[in-house]
Amino acid sequence: MEQRYEGTPQAAIRLEGRRLIRSDVTNDWGLRLQWEVRRNGQVVATINARPDVAYEHSDTAPGEYSVVLQMWHYINYAKNPAGEFTASRFDNISNVVTYRI
Amino acid sequence: MLNIGNEKVSLCSGLTRRSFLQVGVAGMAGMWLPDLMKLEAQGSVDGSRARIKNCITIFLVGSPGHLDTWDLKPQAPSEVRGKYNPIRTNVNGIQICEHFPLMARKMDKIALIRSLHHRTGATHENGQRWMMTGHDFNADAVKPHTGSVISRVFGPKSELPANVILPGPIGNTGAGNFHGQTAGYIGSAHEPFFLGADPAAPNFRVGDLEVPAGMSASRLDARRELLGQLDQLQRRTESRTTQTHDSSYDRAFRLLTSQRARDAFDLNLEPARLRDRYGRNTFGQSCLMARRLIEGGVRYVTVNHFDTVFGQTCWDMHADGGGLNNTYLDYERHLCPQFDWAFTALLDDLEQKGLLQETVVAVLSEFGRTPRLNGRGGRDHYPNAWTNFLAGGNIRGGQVIGSTDRIGSRPHDNPIEPPQVLASIYHGMGINLDTTTMPGPGERPIRLVEAEPIRQLF
């Protein structure tokens, strides 16, 4: 029996100073939940968001930061020769917040 | 195999939901009360002193690598220690993999057994049979699943069967059909009840357990009479010791007609937020259903995390590039988070319902994985050492039992074998293993399991 995933996960995130706060996830698939942090459009960190609803990114390099909550979306376990998934992927499940340093 | 109309009904390899309802449970009402009363009278079972009344077993089909999960060796060479870092838990001195952050906060409730091993071949089925039955395989005398033994000793507490396996039986894991999830020689009355449906499916409805629309009371009674005749036929095919005292299908029909029993299977009665907390996936919703079934009176629930090791994400991390291509990426994105989320939800939920103290939660698997990474970055089967764990009931959490050597290749101290784990569950449920026997093949009385409980657990 292939694992089935019900619904579409969604959450809301907000910024308090530089501290990120997330809501609970509705339709939570229970898979990897992570903060994806970009600086000037480049991914600089992916942090496990399960342990806590709050996170503060410690990087203080100047730039435009954007953060979104992502969850692993399992479609199948197929991978390419380099070992990367070909169909399964991380999906954005929240709004995006930005701040500038 | 019996055929009822167009329906094939398995008699020796587990009952499906549908066949359970159609064939009944071969006189479920008849056997256990005399067994329990007799055992209590002779002092073999003291249910009043047992703090474990129920058991939920989560079976991690495929088997996690112990060095990547609950027995990390950060000082070992890189080809041994693997990719992950250990994190601290809420118990001083106990560390586990970084991908179990929620479990790490509950280590005070969990007893890790890090020195498990078995001495038979490294097939999934060998490990499954050891951990499901406590016995090595013997095709002439198929050993009963632990839940079937509990069914035989204690019987049901309600309209629900005593032994349920979710969401379905283990299927193809490579080397045969005997996975240890049948009642074996103790008879079909104690076969596990397989849900046989996906509780995370949008169209999953407890209506599957309802009387079909348009079936009148008289037709139901007629079917009951027919099934009673089939029961007589089945009883004639079983030995005297596995026969039931009655030929009643009352329990099957009570399940069919009991609102309480149907409600136990109805996840729509749970708050959406709690369903989210378990994870909206087959495994998470099966864990939630396990709690509902325990609450409804089932004594022993097994949740199979996956039913095969082929062609899908599971714990069997060979990284072979083909049909067994699970890798570290599957572990960190899928398997560890999914387990961490559902397992901790189950512990929290049982505790909030007041059920944790009387329900042991056993997380079991077939074996460990090779200490050295293979050439593709995976790990292969390894029965010489692995880690499983228990929580709840009268299990003393916050401890590690046994250890492995510096590369996780062998037990270093307090080696533990699978029958000892099952003996511990039986012991915790108030069963005296020295005086409680089962009718084995040829009606010869045999012990439930040839092992002593792990005293350190209690």
Side-chain angles (χ1 to χ4, degrees), chain A residues 1-6 24-32 50-52 72 74 77 79 83-85 90, chain B residues 105 198 201 273 276 279-283 306-307 311-313 322-323 325 329-330 333-334 337-338 341:
Chain A
M1 185 181 295
E2 184 71 283
Q3 290 272 312
R4 193 186 298 267
Y5 297 86
E6 183 186 3
D24 286 340
V25 179
T26 57
N27 290 319
D28 192 331
W29 289 333
L31 304 180
R32 165 113 175 154
R50 283 287 178 207
D52 296 294
W72 182 241
Y74 176 75
Y77 89 146
K79 301 177 187 74
E84 272 299 329
F85 285 92
F90 281 104
Chain B
R105 294 174 179 171
D198 189 338
R273 190 170 178 180
D276 286 337
R280 296 274 188 165
N281 60 67
T282 305
F283 176 64
F306 309 110
D307 64 350
Q312 66 177 35
T313 285
N325 198 24
L329 290 184
D330 294 274
R333 295 178 185 179
H334 190 141
Q338 183 178 67
W341 193 236

Side-chain angles (χ1 to χ4, degrees), chain B residues 67-103:
Chain B
L67 291 159
D68 302 311
T69 51
W70 300 293
D71 189 13
L72 276 68
K73 304 286 184 184
Q75 308 303 322
S78 61
E79 70 273 18
V80 170
R81 69 173 180 263
K83 184 178 176 183
Y84 300 142
N85 296 310
I87 56 171
R88 287 187 292 186
T89 68
N90 69 349
V91 177
N92 202 18
I94 301 180
Q95 296 185 322
I96 61 175
C97 167
E98 60 186 311
H99 293 294
F100 301 112
L102 304 176
M103 181 179 164

